[in-house]
Amino acid sequence: MAETIADLVAEHRAGTTTPAETVARSYARIRERNDPSIFISLRDEAEAIAEAQALSGKDAAALPLYGIPVAIKDNIDVAGLPTTAACPAFAFQPARDATVVAKLRAAGAIVIGKTNLDQFATGLVGVRSPYGVPKNAMRDDLVPGGSSSGSAVAVSAGLVPLSLGTDTAGSGRVPAMLNNIVGLKPSLGLISTAGVLPACRTLDCVSIFALTVDDAAIALQALAGYDEADAYSRKLPLSAPGPLAAPLRLGVPRADQLQFFGDAQSERDYQAALQRFVALGCTPVEFDLAPFDETAKLLYDGPWVAERYLVIRELLKSNPDAVHPVTRGIIEAGAHVTGADTFAALYRLQALRQRSARVFESIDAMLLPTAPTAYTVAELAADPVTLNSRLGVYTNFVNLLDLCGLAVPSTIRDDGIPFGVTLLAPAGHDARLASLGRLFHADTQLTMGASGLPQPPLAAIEPQLGADEIALVVVGAHLSGMALNGELQALNARLLRVTETAPDYQLYALPGSVPPKPGMLRVEAGSGAAIKVEVWALSQAAFGRFVAAIPRPLSIGSVRLADGSLAKGFLVEPIAVTGALDISHYGGWRAFIAATV
């Protein structure tokens, strides 16, 4: 039987395995694992199997998660199961599913149960729970990572192929690294948080754990979408992973700014990961990590801890001993935050956002260790606050700066400790990170989670236009890596494919254009040259803004591609090529530039 979402859905649709059999397998594996600290509550097995059997009456092709068992972090509401946030005294019975759970069911997924977490989603270690400590799937003595500990372990151990966590300070990324799985932290507002118990409501997001990047991307497509029930929901672009514009600029901190807290092996592993990205075609670009470090310190040293206090202040007043002592010590500090403190921090954050935004003008994505090192449960017990803080040095700033992230396994050390890296980009670039992360993860040839099973062959991507997108044929300075490509990147455009036109065009170097640009002129069919081009996808709104800014003598018309299809693309007015150099024999602008440098 298959292990990944993609393969399981294919088997379910083909009828070689049924959703009911897959659900039953999950329950059997939970019993075999025999770790009562992974799940806080489980659905009745017969009820879950009956729900899986009922899928047979639905259109399987329309259900992207057809028959997939899913585990849900226990700060996300599931009708019929209590929401505890790992605090029995706080537990309540939700009246309905959280929006994200309703979307899971609508996509054909079957909820298995609610998973353990650092109490009130406060922590990156996974040990602050009265329900016990889930055993790390890779090495029993390691912390499982938090706060989404149970969700990460459930996927790594093969109990379910998909689980949901939340991520405010790194809770969807740190446990992914420590359990050798993929952790997708989407752009804020991309997945609804209606029905999710807040940690910091202004910063929270639902995260996704899966065995492969492609599986995480499948889930994201099913779960994303604007939700009026969530005041922080946003209408953000989202596309499936696709080809990458090359060369992709990968931001890397200065060597003296990286912290590994004495773990020389993690430092070597990070450098090895960077070299793997270089071999995949990325260009390293050094940047200043200082504003990101300063932002990270704001999360717990600043007023945002008051948001955590707001959620449980009544419990702290009435029954403080019900809260884990470490968690209580962190959250009680929020009671003393003043309005002046809050505004001072907001002003500082805005300045740091401006500085960090400038960094992303020169890079396409940022590469960081997911965590600087790993700790055992025993080590953490000796110094719970300091070691927890160390695990968040590369994660705490992400939501404050409105970034999306993808944590990907990188290597497994000889001592069995996993190491991983995280790709970061501004909100709305989730597909770009998935496109790069899937190539990297496949290239590592790591086994999936703790299963010891190889990754499936990387599926070929057939890029498709989204319902709100328009294809644009680019021929010159807007090609990937060329002078004006940043204009497309700024509009969240994505590369669909590299191809060439039908032999119906001539290409000219336009005199006096700054930066240098070509003009492509349509001639009689078959009497010209085939010109190498790129096809990009833009939202309709972005396409309109882009076209409005195009200067004469260039214009947008219909361009015939080699496969006979038509797409909107750059053309030039015939009068503009009078006296211009005909460069058609080069076959494209990139070849001409290379030959003239």
Side-chain angles (χ1 to χ4, degrees):
M1 188 184 288
E3 297 290 332
T4 66
I5 293 171
D7 287 345
L8 280 169
V9 168
E11 287 191 358
H12 294 165
R13 288 172 175 168
T16 54
T17 303
T18 68
E21 289 171 334
T22 299
V23 169
R25 181 181 72 163
S26 281
Y27 280 93
R29 288 184 172 183
I30 291 168
R31 288 189 289 271
E32 182 182 353
R33 180 77 179 177
N34 193 28
D35 181 354
S37 297
I38 297 175
F39 285 90
I40 292 177
S41 59
L42 281 170
R43 286 183 70 192
D44 177 75
E45 182 175 357
E47 177 187 313
I49 289 175
E51 186 177 326
Q53 291 170 334
L55 290 173
S56 61
K58 298 184 178 181
D59 180 4
L63 301 176
L65 299 175
Y66 181 56
I68 297 299
V70 183
I72 308 295
K73 185 176 180 178
D74 200 8
N75 60 344
I76 302 172
D77 288 348
V78 174
L81 295 175
T83 298
T84 74
C87 180
F90 184 83
F92 63 91
Q93 199 74 28
R96 61 182 64 86
D97 286 335
T99 298
V100 69
V101 174
K103 280 180 168 281
L104 280 172
R105 295 189 197 273
I110 308 296
V111 174
I112 298 297
K114 305 289 290 295
T115 54
N116 203 355
L117 64 150
D118 276 321
Q119 193 176 72
F120 295 114
T122 302
L124 291 172
V125 287
V127 306
R128 301 172 181 171
S129 170
Y131 295 98
V133 178
K135 290 182 180 178
N136 184 296
M138 299 297 292
R139 230 181 74 165
D140 281 1
D141 61 330
L142 289 181
V143 298
S147 61
S148 309
S149 53
S151 289
V153 170
V155 169
S156 182
L159 310 184
V160 291
L162 174 67
S163 68
L164 297 187
T166 58
D167 190 312
T168 303
S171 297
R173 291 160 280 157
V174 171
M177 184 190 99
L178 294 175
N179 288 277
N180 189 43
I181 60 173
V182 171
L184 190 157
K185 191 223 80 69
S187 300
L188 293 177
L190 187 59
I191 298 178
S192 172
T193 56
V196 179
L197 183 72
C200 296
R201 192 179 179 203
T202 59
L203 303 176
D204 294 337
C205 66
V206 173
S207 60
I208 295 168
F209 294 108
L211 294 171
T212 69
V213 175
D214 282 354
D215 276 4
I218 290 169
L220 181 61
Q221 291 284 333
L223 301 180
Y226 178 75
D227 180 16
E228 289 187 354
D230 175 11
Y232 289 91
S233 185
R234 295 193 289 179
K235 296 178 180 179
L236 290 170
L238 178 63
S239 56
L244 284 166
L248 192 141
R249 303 163 300 168
L250 199 60
V252 180
R254 297 200 310 259
D256 62 343
Q257 294 180 321
L258 287 164
Q259 302 180 75
F260 295 94
F261 302 101
D263 191 337
Q265 184 61 55
S266 285
E267 186 171 4
R268 290 191 291 270
D269 290 340
Y270 173 70
Q271 292 302 323
L274 173 59
Q275 292 310 309
R276 189 180 295 278
F277 276 106
V278 170
L280 290 171
C282 295
T283 301
V285 177
E286 195 172 81
F287 73 94
D288 182 8
L289 190 62
F292 300 89
D293 278 340
E294 185 177 345
T295 304
K297 293 179 176 65
L298 286 176
L299 188 61
Y300 284 103
D301 295 342
W304 282 271
V305 72
E307 289 194 272
R308 296 180 185 269
Y309 174 75
L310 186 63
V311 176
I312 62 168
R313 61 181 174 181
E314 296 306 320
L315 179 64
L316 285 171
K317 292 175 184 177
S318 63
N319 189 6
D321 290 338
V323 182
H324 190 283
V326 176
T327 304
R328 186 171 67 241
I330 293 167
I331 294 179
E332 282 181 336
H336 310 296
V337 175
T338 68
D341 295 334
T342 301
F343 280 104
L346 289 172
Y347 299 154
R348 185 59 191 152
L349 176 60
Q350 186 60 29
L352 291 166
R353 281 176 172 168
Q354 287 188 333
R355 287 177 62 188
S356 64
R358 289 197 294 271
V359 169
F360 282 99
E361 292 174 1
S362 60
I363 64 174
D364 300 303
M366 182 183 293
L367 176 69
L368 294 174
T370 299
T373 187
Y375 295 110
T376 65
V377 175
E379 287 171 329
L380 187 81
D383 193 355
V385 175
T386 300
L387 300 194
N388 181 93
S389 297
R390 288 179 179 178
L391 292 179
V393 296
Y394 298 119
T395 61
N396 285 349
F397 63 82
V398 172
N399 284 353
L400 283 166
L401 295 178
D402 198 14
L403 307 178
C404 56
L406 180 69
V408 187
S410 178
T411 191
I412 300 173
R413 295 162 27 165
D414 291 341
D415 58 8
I417 296 177
F419 178 79
V421 293
T422 293
L423 295 164
L424 299 169
H429 289 88
D430 305 76
R432 177 189 296 171
L433 298 187
S435 300
L436 180 57
R438 70 189 298 270
L439 297 178
F440 175 85
H441 190 208
D443 194 63
T444 66
Q445 298 184 7
L446 286 172
T447 53
M448 298 185 297
S451 69
L453 298 173
Q455 299 178 51
L458 196 61
I461 290 179
E462 293 294 335
Q464 302 290 330
L465 275 177
D468 180 49
E469 291 182 320
I470 297 174
L472 174 69
V473 178
V474 173
V475 68
H478 286 91
L479 292 167
S480 56
M482 304 299 278
L484 297 181
N485 184 253
E487 294 181 357
L488 289 174
Q489 302 282 2
L491 292 169
N492 291 329
R494 61 188 180 95
L495 179 63
L496 287 176
R497 57 190 170 121
V498 178
T499 184
E500 59 183 24
T501 69
D504 304 345
Y505 299 90
Q506 289 177 329
L507 193 67
Y508 295 87
L510 299 179
S513 57
V514 180
K517 304 181 190 70
M520 189 169 72
L521 182 68
R522 184 165 189 174
V523 296
E524 186 176 345
S527 67
I531 306 300
K532 290 189 180 301
V533 294
E534 292 177 352
V535 183
W536 288 72
L538 293 90
S539 69
Q540 293 181 18
F543 182 84
R545 292 196 297 273
F546 183 81
V547 171
I550 293 173
R552 294 185 62 192
L554 299 176
S555 62
I556 296 294
S558 294
V559 175
R560 187 171 298 279
L561 300 174
D563 62 2
S565 63
L566 289 173
K568 299 300 181 185
F570 277 94
L571 294 172
V572 68
E573 298 172 1
I575 194 171
V577 302
T578 302
L581 177 65
D582 187 341
I583 60 172
S584 304
H585 58 285
Y586 285 96
W589 182 245
R590 198 185 299 278
F592 169 71
I593 292 295
T596 54
V597 170

